[in-house]
């Protein structure tokens, strides 16, 4: 099949098979050349195509070609459509499709065999390219030939786009010195596999960096991969300053996509900037708060240089002496007041003209041992006065409190003791503290001894007692004084006595004797020391025992038992009437039914009372009686069973029984 071409006026009509030259329409194979006269050109074709069509790699591309014949009265009977593509790397072009009203044919052995499809109608034709490749970035030609009806040709540039991978940024790992005279490499940024070639832009703190001689250099390396993609690597060289220690650098890649431009930004990086020290600070890191003697003190020095420098430490009082330190820390242990002073530190790497240093005042607080006056111990007479003082030298305000036996007895550094007694004797402790630094404290003490004659314990100087004969009585005597008194006993009226307790401590002597009462007794407790003697007297009155009353009661019981038997016998014999009117008076003393109290008196000073009471209507038995004996402060209670109405009395040494 021949390919028909219509050329303009004065040109030759060439019919060629397969390829034709873009200039002479010459190609291989059969050629037919016809001269076209001016009289035979009477028609025209209008053809419209896009200048370019943009498509993503791998997608399908549609290239439209619209045409129309201007002579509506002379519609062509034959229209031939051909599609060509410009060969890669040359000006020649290659046909990839041919069609007319009888035949539609895709040329074989081309890059597009099997990948293209052409659809046509009366208004135009459209070329569809499947699975677009990077090599499809070419010019595609649409040629329409209606013979006598006209001829036209147009072209469209197919543009293929492939977005690149995300950019990768990598900063330098070593520090960059601000003293470098030329820009130093800061970071590199790489973007791979993009089409067409992507572009890289650098940013510092979100502000774009432009190439500036002596400050910013941008080095670009573009690589065309065998696959046809582009890879771009950009290196940033930058003259850093101290302020860049806090700066963040990033790169941004921009690339074309169909009908737009897109950008992707990398991660931000921070670089390490080396710069000299211009400011130094020195402070106390430990302990917190005030420093006292014995503490371990750490002073830390810090500068604003990077990398952090080492430091030398000095005291302002000894500038020629370098103190031993560990890098940026000076340790003082244990500190004393002589460590107080102004400390300084200086960086070792400083090269400037002006001096850079840090300094601080260290104050070590102290509290000396307490000094008490009088010292150790002091002897004073009973009734005297004494003033004791307690002082401790300190760098801070102190507080003093006095204690005796754990109880507070005074405040302030002076203690006044007035009208001394034996109770004043003891150890007085003064405790000195520092309110603003509680860890500082000290104490001192003084032992006060009050000297005087013996002093007996108790308010009674003479003790009178009454005790039954035959009983044992314990007599106690306590005395205090300084020197410690001794106790001796003088007992008149009893030969049977012995000391059962004899003990003494630092302040007191105690003695107890046990005496058997055989008659009236007089006892003297003599407490004596070098300062005098004190006496305590005891008077013991011997009394009759309660055994006599008990014997009398028993005899009365026996007598009553006999009397009761006789009365019962006479009653049975009818010798005496029955009833209350028949009661007989047993004694001459007048008694009544309620006269049931028995009194026994031996003298005017002591009194034994025996109470025998019949309790009618009580919870006790009808014959149960109660007996009480009173001797001093001791009461002995006994129960007896007596006949109802029995009265027992003791008077003038006689015991009388009466049945009332």
């Amino acid at each position: 099949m021949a390919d028909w071409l219509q050329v303009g006026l004065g040109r030759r009509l060439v019919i060629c098979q397969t390829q034709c030259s873009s200039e002479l329409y010459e190609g291989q194979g059969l050629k037919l050349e016809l001269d076209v006269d001016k009289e035979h050109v009477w028609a025209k074709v209008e053809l419209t195509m896009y200048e370019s069509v943009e498509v993503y790699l791998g997608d399908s591309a549609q290239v439209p070609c619209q045409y129309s014949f201007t002579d509506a009265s002379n519609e062509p009977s034959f229209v031939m459509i051909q599609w060509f593509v410009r060969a890669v790397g040359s000006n020649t072009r290659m046909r990839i499709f041919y069609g007319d009203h009888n035949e539609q044919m895709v040329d074989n052995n081309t890059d597009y065999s099997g990948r293209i499809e052409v659809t046509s109608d009366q208004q135009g034709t459209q070329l569809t390219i499947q699975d677009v490749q990077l090599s499809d970035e070419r010019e595609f030609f649409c040629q329409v030939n209606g013979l006598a009806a006209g001829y036209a040709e147009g072209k469209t540039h197919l543009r293929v786009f492939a977005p690149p991978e995300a950019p990768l940024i990598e900063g330098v790992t070593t520090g960059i010195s601000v003293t470098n005279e030329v820009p130093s490499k800061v970071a590199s940024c790489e973007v791979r596999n993009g089409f067409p070639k992507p572009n890289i832009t650098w940013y510092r703190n979100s502000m774009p960096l432009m190439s500036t001689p002596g400050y910013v250099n941008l080095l670009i390396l573009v690589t065309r991969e065998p696959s046809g993609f582009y890879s771009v690597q950009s290196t940033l060289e930058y003259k850093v300053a101290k302020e860049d220690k806090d700066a963040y650098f990033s790169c941004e890649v921009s690339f074309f996509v169909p009908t737009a431009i897109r950008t992707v930004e990398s991660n931000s990086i921070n670089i390490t900037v080396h710069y000299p020290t211009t400011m130094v600070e020195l402070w106390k890191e430990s302990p917190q708060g005030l420093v006292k003697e014995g503490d371990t003190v750490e002073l830390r020095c810090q500068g604003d240089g990077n990398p952090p420098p080492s430091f030398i430490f000095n005291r302002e009082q000894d500038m020629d002496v370098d103190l031993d330190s560990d890098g940026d820390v000076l340790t003082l242990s244990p500190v004393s007041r002589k460590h107080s002073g102004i400390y300084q530190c200086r960086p070792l790497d400083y090269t400037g003209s002006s001096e850079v240093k840090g300094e601080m005042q260290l104050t070590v607080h102290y509290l000396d041992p307490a000094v008490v006056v009088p010292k150790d111990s002091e002897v004073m007479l009973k009734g005297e006065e004494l003033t004791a003082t307690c002082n401790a030298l300190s760098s801070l305000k102190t507080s003093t409190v006095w204690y005796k036996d754990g109880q507070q007895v005074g405040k302030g550094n002076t203690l006044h003791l007035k009208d001394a007694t034996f109770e004043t004797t003891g150890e007085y402790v003064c405790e000195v503290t520092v309110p603003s630094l509680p860890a500082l404290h000290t104490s001192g003490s003084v032992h006060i001894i009050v000297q005087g004659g013996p002093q007996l314990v108790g308010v009674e100087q003479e003790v009178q007692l009454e005790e039954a004969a035959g009983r044992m009585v314990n007599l106690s005597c306590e005395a205090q004084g300084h020197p410690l008194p001794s106790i001796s006993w003088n007992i008149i009226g009893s030969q049977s006595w012995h000391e059962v307790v004899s003990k003494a401590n630092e302040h007191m002597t105690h003695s107890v004797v046990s005496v058997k009462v055989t008659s009236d007794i007089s006892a003297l407790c003599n407490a004596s020391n070098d300062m005098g003697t004190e006496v305590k007297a005891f008077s013991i009155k011997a009394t009759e025992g309660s055994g006599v009353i008990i014997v009398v009661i028993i005899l009365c019981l026996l007598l009553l038992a006999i009397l009761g038997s006789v009365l019962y016998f006479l009653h049975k014999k009818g010798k005496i009437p029955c009833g209350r009117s028949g009661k007989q008076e047993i004694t001459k003393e007048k008694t009544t039914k309620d006269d049931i109290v028995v009194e026994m008196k031996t003298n005017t000073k002591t009194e034994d009372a025996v109470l025998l009471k019949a309790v009618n209507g009580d919870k006790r038995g009808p014959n149960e009686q109660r007996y009480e004996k009173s001797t001093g402060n001791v009461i002995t209670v006994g129960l007896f069973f007596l006949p109802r109405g029995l009265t027992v009395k003791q008077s003038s040494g006689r015991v009388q029984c009466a049945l009332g």
Side-chain angles (χ1 to χ4, degrees):
M1 172 64 66
D3 295 335
W4 295 94
L5 300 178
Q6 181 173 351
V7 300
L9 182 63
R11 300 290 299 275
R12 292 179 297 171
L13 180 62
V14 179
I15 302 174
C16 59
Q17 184 74 23
T18 65
Q19 286 187 332
C20 293
S21 170
S22 61
E23 297 295 334
L24 301 176
Y25 299 96
E26 296 179 352
Q28 300 177 355
L30 178 64
K31 292 195 295 183
L32 176 62
E33 297 185 5
L34 299 175
D35 290 329
V36 181
D37 296 329
K38 182 177 181 180
E39 293 85 356
H40 296 90
V41 180
W42 62 87
K44 182 180 179 182
V45 179
E46 292 183 353
L47 187 144
T48 303
M49 293 186 72
Y50 293 123
E51 180 179 354
S52 64
V53 171
E54 299 178 348
V55 63
Y56 279 110
L57 177 68
D59 286 354
S60 296
Q62 287 80 34
V63 183
C65 177
Q66 304 295 327
Y67 63 88
S68 63
F69 294 94
T70 57
D71 189 358
S73 62
N74 186 16
E75 290 292 334
S77 59
F78 176 85
V79 177
M80 179 176 61
I81 297 175
Q82 296 184 102
W83 284 91
F84 297 87
V85 62
R86 190 182 299 279
V88 177
S90 71
N91 288 328
T92 62
R93 61 186 188 179
M94 177 178 61
R95 194 184 71 181
I96 58 175
F97 176 82
Y98 165 84
D100 57 27
H101 64 284
N102 292 324
E103 185 178 6
Q104 303 286 324
M105 180 184 70
V106 176
D107 289 281
N108 296 322
N109 301 322
T110 69
D111 294 338
Y112 299 94
S113 299
R115 284 201 303 128
I116 64 172
E117 179 182 357
V118 178
T119 58
S120 300
D121 56 23
Q122 292 183 354
Q123 283 75 35
T125 179
Q126 178 173 281
L127 171 65
T128 301
I129 305 171
Q130 305 291 338
D131 190 19
V132 173
Q133 305 297 316
L134 294 181
S135 58
D136 294 335
E137 174 113 355
R138 302 183 186 183
E139 289 181 337
F140 289 83
F141 297 87
C142 173
Q143 192 179 90
V144 177
N145 190 352
L147 296 180
Y151 160 85
E153 180 180 279
K155 65 179 180 179
T156 294
H157 189 176
L158 180 63
R159 298 186 179 276
V160 181
F161 298 91
E165 299 173 2
L168 298 176
I169 188 171
E170 183 178 1
V172 295
T173 56
T174 59
I176 305 172
S177 176
V178 298
T179 60
N180 293 344
E181 296 181 357
V182 296
S184 304
K185 179 181 177 180
V186 171
S188 62
C189 181
E190 184 179 15
V191 58
R192 298 176 57 84
N193 299 328
F195 191 90
K197 178 180 74 68
N199 295 312
I200 294 177
T201 303
W202 284 95
Y203 289 87
R204 177 187 179 276
N205 292 338
S206 301
M207 298 298 294
L209 292 173
M210 308 301 294
S211 180
T212 304
Y215 292 95
V216 180
N217 292 335
L218 302 177
L219 306 179
I220 306 296
L221 176 62
V222 180
T223 303
R224 184 73 182 267
E225 306 291 347
S227 60
F229 293 110
Y230 288 96
S231 294
V232 180
Q233 185 180 42
S234 178
T235 301
L236 172 63
E237 292 181 349
Y238 183 77
K239 193 174 189 313
V240 297
K242 182 179 178 180
E243 294 74 17
D244 293 315
K245 65 184 178 67
D246 300 319
Y248 287 90
F249 294 86
S250 63
C251 64
E252 180 186 76
V253 58
S254 59
F255 52 91
F256 291 95
V257 296
T259 69
I261 298 177
R262 292 184 181 175
T263 59
V264 176
E265 188 174 358
S266 69
N267 296 329
S268 295
I269 63 168
N270 180 250
I271 61 174
T272 301
V273 180
H274 289 174
Y275 44 88
T277 302
T278 58
M279 184 181 66
V280 174
E281 182 182 6
L282 177 64
W283 73 92
K284 175 173 63 69
E285 188 163 81
S286 67
Q288 300 296 320
L290 299 176
V291 178
K292 68 180 186 303
E293 287 188 320
D295 285 344
T296 296
V297 177
E298 288 188 356
L299 304 182
R300 184 174 294 277
C301 188
Q302 180 176 304
D304 63 347
N306 190 40
S310 296
F311 297 91
I312 55 175
F313 291 83
N314 307 93
R315 286 182 66 189
E316 192 177 57
Q317 297 87 334
D318 303 303
M319 291 300 299
D320 297 333
V321 179
D322 292 343
L323 303 176
D324 293 334
S325 61
D326 182 13
D328 60 349
V329 176
L330 173 64
T331 302
L332 304 173
S333 178
V335 295
S336 64
R337 66 194 71 182
K338 69 178 183 179
H339 287 96
S340 296
I342 297 176
Y343 286 80
Q344 297 179 346
C345 66
R346 295 175 176 82
L348 286 173
D349 65 345
Y350 186 72
T351 58
S353 57
S354 60
E355 186 178 27
V356 176
K357 66 179 180 180
E359 65 179 25
M360 66 159 290
Q361 171 73 46
L362 176 64
T363 301
V364 179
H365 296 284
Y366 57 88
L367 176 64
D368 287 343
V371 177
V372 180
V373 178
K375 186 178 181 181
D376 297 334
S377 64
E378 180 73 10
V379 177
M380 57 188 301
L381 295 178
K382 186 177 179 183
E384 287 186 340
E385 295 185 1
L386 176 69
T387 298
T389 60
C390 177
N391 294 284
L393 184 63
S394 176
S395 59
L396 296 169
K397 185 177 180 180
T398 60
S399 173
T400 304
V401 180
W402 292 85
Y403 295 93
K404 179 178 183 290
D405 299 329
Q407 300 294 321
Q408 180 177 328
V409 294
K411 294 185 69 175
N413 65 327
T414 302
L415 176 66
H416 298 284
L417 300 177
K418 298 180 180 180
D419 192 18
T421 64
F422 290 126
E423 285 75 15
T424 307
T425 299
E427 184 176 23
Y428 291 80
V429 178
C430 69
E431 291 191 358
V432 183
T433 58
V434 179
S436 58
L437 189 55
L440 278 181
H441 57 85
T442 185
S443 64
S445 64
V446 59
H447 190 78
I448 301 297
I449 300 173
V450 178
Q451 198 172 59
Q455 178 178 323
L456 294 171
V457 178
V459 296
E460 295 181 350
Q461 295 298 314
E462 183 177 355
V463 179
Q464 294 185 358
L465 300 173
E466 293 183 0
E467 186 55 70
R471 299 287 298 274
M472 298 296 294
V473 177
N474 289 336
L475 305 180
S476 176
C477 187
E478 286 183 276
Q480 58 182 350
H482 190 85
L484 190 67
S486 61
I487 295 178
S488 61
W489 291 89
N490 186 14
I491 300 176
I492 301 173
S494 175
Q495 299 296 323
S496 179
W497 66 274
H498 62 279
E499 191 175 32
V500 294
V501 174
S502 178
K503 60 182 180 179
N505 55 29
E506 186 178 358
H507 309 290
M508 187 91 57
T509 301
H510 185 197
S511 177
V512 177
V513 296
S514 181
V515 181
K516 185 174 183 180
V517 178
T518 56
S519 61
D520 293 347
I521 297 173
S522 295
L524 298 178
C525 167
N526 301 295
S528 63
N529 63 7
D530 295 341
M531 305 295 293
T533 301
E534 188 80 10
V535 177
K536 184 175 183 179
F538 296 87
S539 177
I540 304 174
K541 185 70 175 178
T543 62
E544 294 184 11
S546 59
V548 176
I549 299 177
I550 296 175
V551 171
V552 171
I553 293 175
I554 293 174
L555 292 177
C556 289
L557 292 176
L558 293 175
L559 179 62
L560 290 174
I562 296 173
L563 179 61
S565 299
V566 172
L567 292 176
Y568 180 76
F569 177 78
L570 294 176
H571 174 71
K572 288 295 185 180
K573 294 295 185 177
K575 298 297 183 180
I576 57 176
C578 181
R580 296 182 61 88
S581 61
K583 292 181 181 179
Q584 302 296 320
E585 183 177 353
I586 304 300
T587 65
K588 292 182 180 181
E589 294 182 14
K590 183 178 180 179
T591 61
T592 64
K593 182 178 181 180
D594 295 327
D595 189 6
I596 56 177
V597 177
V598 177
E599 291 184 348
M600 179 178 67
K601 294 184 179 179
T602 57
N603 53 49
T604 59
K605 291 185 178 180
T606 60
E607 179 176 344
D608 291 344
V610 177
L611 175 65
L612 300 176
K613 182 178 181 181
V615 182
N616 294 321
D618 201 340
K619 290 183 179 180
R620 296 187 183 94
N623 297 327
E624 183 179 350
Q625 308 299 319
R626 181 175 180 85
Y627 162 77
E628 295 183 358
K629 174 189 176 186
S630 173
T631 303
N633 294 328
V634 179
I635 298 176
T636 304
V637 179
L639 296 178
F640 299 90
F641 294 90
L642 301 178
R644 183 183 302 274
L646 176 65
T647 301
V648 180
K649 289 187 178 181
Q650 177 180 353
S651 177
S652 301
R654 295 184 301 111
V655 177
Q656 296 178 346
C657 295
L659 185 65

